[in-house]
Amino acid sequence: MQHPCMTCGACCTQYRVAFHWMESDEVTPGGVPHQLTEVLDPHRLCMQGTHSAPVRCVALDAQIGVYSRCTIHPNRPSVCREVDASWEYGKPSAQCEKARIAYGLDPLTPADWRWRDAAGNDDNHPDDNGSPQAPIAA
């Protein structure tokens, strides 16, 4: 079993991805690739494809519900890092559920994360940001 986000991607087609211009790689080495952004206002950029409907982030490589990947995952904006999949860290996520439902996908449940327990991925294994993972609710 793999991470549920790897077969979803719905959130990347439902929300504007806006963030402070300082997150751009023009200013911050390793930041969000500036060529994939557009100016939202004097203080914020947004990912191309997320400013207005229909929303689809330019960095998304996906067939929603089948496969999904962020082509800039290590350099994605902070707002993307802050959207958790439902029950990944022991609680539901309204953003995740709304996006999945928009595509006719079932909301995630705690059972969708049991594979991680079996794989030995627990709070002693940091996520890609070096932060410990929260315990998974039973």
Side-chain angles (χ1 to χ4, degrees):
M1 180 109 188
Q2 61 183 340
H3 195 287
C5 294
M6 300 301 290
T7 57
C8 185
C11 60
C12 303
T13 69
Q14 297 296 305
Y15 305 107
R16 181 173 59 206
V17 180
F19 50 95
H20 195 272
W21 59 266
M22 290 287 293
E23 290 188 52
S24 166
D25 67 358
E26 282 194 330
V27 180
T28 303
V32 179
H34 186 75
Q35 71 273 17
L36 300 181
T37 69
E38 60 183 279
V39 175
L40 183 60
D41 61 39
H43 299 284
R44 297 180 299 164
L45 301 173
C46 68
M47 292 300 297
Q48 291 175 8
T50 70
H51 187 263
S52 58
V55 172
R56 186 176 179 104
C57 181
V58 68
L60 176 64
D61 173 19
Q63 181 179 345
I64 307 303
V66 178
Y67 72 90
S68 175
R69 76 180 187 101
C70 174
T71 61
I72 62 165
H73 193 265
N75 307 94
R76 68 196 186 280
S78 60
V79 293
C80 297
R81 295 173 191 276
E82 293 167 2
V83 175
D84 293 331
S86 276
W87 299 105
E88 183 173 14
Y89 299 110
K91 61 184 179 182
S93 166
Q95 285 180 298
C96 174
E97 290 177 3
K98 178 183 172 188
R100 289 180 64 85
I101 289 168
Y103 279 90
L105 301 171
D106 291 333
L108 297 174
T109 69
D112 291 306
W113 301 97
R114 299 224 191 285
W115 63 272
R116 190 164 62 183
D117 293 338
N121 294 327
D122 56 25
D123 57 355
N124 293 322
H125 294 80
D127 66 14
D128 65 344
N129 296 319
S131 304
Q133 297 173 347
I136 299 169

